[in-house]
Amino acid sequence: MTEALLQIKDLRVYYHVDAGAVRAVDGVSFNLEAGIKLGLVGESGSGKSTMALALMRMIKAPGKIESGQMILDGVDLLQLSEEKMRQTKLMKLSMIPQGAMNSLNPVMRIDKQMMDGLEDHNSLLSKEELTARIQELLTAVDLDPKVAKMYPHELSGGMKQRVCVAMAISMEPDLIIADEPTSALDVVIQRQVMAMINRLQEKLGLALILIGHDMGLMAQSVDRLAVMYAGRMMEIADTKVIFGNPLHPYTQLLISSLPVLENKGVFSGIPGVTPSLLTPPPGCVFHTRCPKARDVCRERIPVFTEVETGRWVACHLITA
Ligand code: ATP
Ligand code: SF4
């Protein structure tokens, strides 16, 4: 059996604040196969962005990757030197960060910004070849190549986001992490940008980790769905399987709390509050809100277990 493109093993990322360690990612493990789109969902503060930043090795103090492995294409990213990691970024994995469009430099033309990344990794390409590549990339994200000579303030939000996507795919990486890539855009533009990302993902055969809250968008966009809660992974399975028959009580609540019309929309309204990640509850971290909790749930952490091929769940009710 071939190895998965990405293997995350028992990853822990904590933020060390005055009050103690915030366990933002606390023993997360999962695999992602090449060319597959994985949606990462969970309420605000469940650790999704921390997970993405860890993968890019962009966790800054007071955050720290405590332990674990992040193996991409056979190489543990945590063992790479700074220089090797810099090369790996863009060449093998890249990210469209949250609020990416605001990360464009306002006083630099688009082509200059795109050129910087390309030059870094294509020292053999001539200026003309780089210019041609930029035009090709802008066309790939449905932008007029004239955009190359414009400044960010001359572009709409959707156009800026397309530029960020062009930058992320510029080296045709194996994996792109997109952290809420459309959340700042209006709904119509969101759908257009998402359709464009899907098209490119298929064309280039990329694996994609799509982070978001919108389960409706996820249902339409991703092959597999990963559900996080309070820094831990609760359930992973094919999207259709999860929507058809969610096993984990938290996933069940997420899906049943959606507006009924085709289960589309942003989830809200699960009773109770998420626990403090400074002092997470013992046992199953969801037991304080779980309608099915029993004694064992307060005492033992459920092991994230493959209950059917490709279907992983952390719940005593399912894995006992
Ligand atoms: P959202 O959906 O709102 O973006 P998220 O699921 O991406 O949330 P994270 O942003 O990864 O969650 O946050 C996980 C936890 O880590 C939260 O409890 C958050 O308060 C904490 N956290 C994140 N960044 C820091 C930081 N720089 N310092 C201290 N705590 C942090
Ligand atoms: Fe609920 Fe227990 Fe399952 Fe946790 S382990 S989700 S508390 S039933």
Side-chain angles (χ1 to χ4, degrees):
M1 205 173 113
T2 52
E3 294 254 288
L5 172 70
L6 176 71
Q7 300 168 67
I8 303 290
K9 296 186 181 180
D10 204 18
L11 185 69
R12 284 168 213 273
V13 187
Y14 297 172
Y15 293 97
H16 296 273
V17 296
D18 288 346
V22 177
R23 298 167 174 225
V25 172
D26 203 12
V28 165
S29 302
F30 69 92
N31 286 353
L32 176 61
E33 309 297 327
I36 295 294
K37 288 180 282 187
L38 173 78
L40 186 54
V41 296
E43 287 163 295
S44 187
S46 55
K48 306 180 299 294
S49 295
T50 301
M51 184 77 231
L53 290 170
L55 267 169
M56 297 297 286
R57 278 203 10 204
M58 283 165 55
I59 296 287
K60 297 207 170 67
K64 183 170 175 270
I65 299 178
E66 304 288 326
S67 58
Q69 290 180 302
M70 308 188 301
I71 300 170
L72 180 67
D73 206 8
V75 175
D76 186 355
L77 299 178
L78 289 176
Q79 301 304 323
L80 293 181
S81 64
E82 291 290 326
E83 176 54 24
K84 279 269 182 231
M85 187 63 202
R86 198 183 62 81
Q87 288 168 9
T88 300
K89 284 194 222 172
L90 283 185
M91 301 287 279
K92 284 199 171 282
L93 91 154
S94 66
M95 182 168 173
I96 308 167
Q98 232 178 54
M101 59 190 189
N102 301 321
S103 66
L104 293 173
N105 184 335
V107 294
M108 205 188 261
R109 284 202 170 97
I110 298 300
D111 58 351
K112 177 77 178 89
Q113 306 199 40
M114 293 180 73
M115 188 93 67
D116 282 354
L118 284 169
E119 264 174 357
D120 225 17
H121 295 274
N122 283 289
S123 46
L124 296 178
L125 290 187
S126 68
K127 190 116 186 150
E128 289 71 33
E129 285 168 321
L130 284 172
T131 304
R133 178 75 181 129
I134 288 169
Q135 307 255 316
E136 190 187 349
L137 285 166
L138 290 173
T139 308
V141 294
D142 303 328
L143 286 174
D144 189 319
K146 286 190 193 122
V147 165
K149 291 291 164 211
M150 296 167 107
Y151 287 95
H153 71 84
E154 296 177 88
L155 309 179
S156 69
M159 292 168 86
K160 281 191 274 194
Q161 201 61 344
R162 284 172 194 272
V163 169
C164 294
V165 175
M167 287 167 144
I169 60 163
S170 63
M171 300 303 300
E172 301 196 1
D174 298 327
L175 170 64
I176 290 191
I177 304 158
D179 193 353
E180 310 224 27
T182 59
S183 60
L185 306 171
D186 77 47
V187 175
V188 175
I189 308 289
Q190 271 190 17
R191 302 279 154 171
Q192 289 171 357
V193 171
M194 212 44 241
M196 183 267 297
I197 292 176
N198 279 333
R199 202 189 64 226
L200 287 170
Q201 182 272 336
E202 267 173 38
K203 187 172 159 208
L204 302 174
L206 311 167
L208 175 73
I209 297 181
L210 178 66
I211 296 175
H213 290 98
D214 187 337
M215 294 281 273
L217 196 68
M218 289 291 177
Q220 290 168 6
S221 308
V222 297
D223 306 305
R224 287 176 66 74
L225 204 58
V227 181
M228 270 185 93
Y229 179 79
R232 298 192 197 153
M233 202 56 90
M234 299 286 114
E235 181 162 10
I236 295 187
D238 288 353
T239 309
K240 283 201 183 90
V241 171
I242 285 212
F243 273 88
N245 178 25
L247 290 182
H248 196 284
Y250 180 58
T251 319
Q252 290 170 355
L253 283 171
L254 280 184
I255 291 175
S256 65
S257 68
L258 294 177
V260 280
L261 183 66
E262 296 173 41
N263 275 347
K264 280 183 187 170
V266 178
F267 53 76
S268 62
I270 295 178
V273 289
T274 50
S276 161
L277 301 186
L278 274 168
T279 48
C284 173
V285 76
F286 187 54
H287 84 247
T288 54
R289 295 168 84 189
C290 181
K292 297 180 179 169
R294 39 175 87 172
D295 288 346
V296 62
C297 305
R298 295 172 193 91
E299 289 152 17
R300 282 199 289 119
I301 297 177
V303 178
F304 196 51
T305 307
E306 189 169 26
V307 291
E308 292 161 23
T309 306
R311 175 158 223 197
W312 295 74
V313 186
C315 173
H316 290 304
L317 286 187
I318 312 298
T319 57

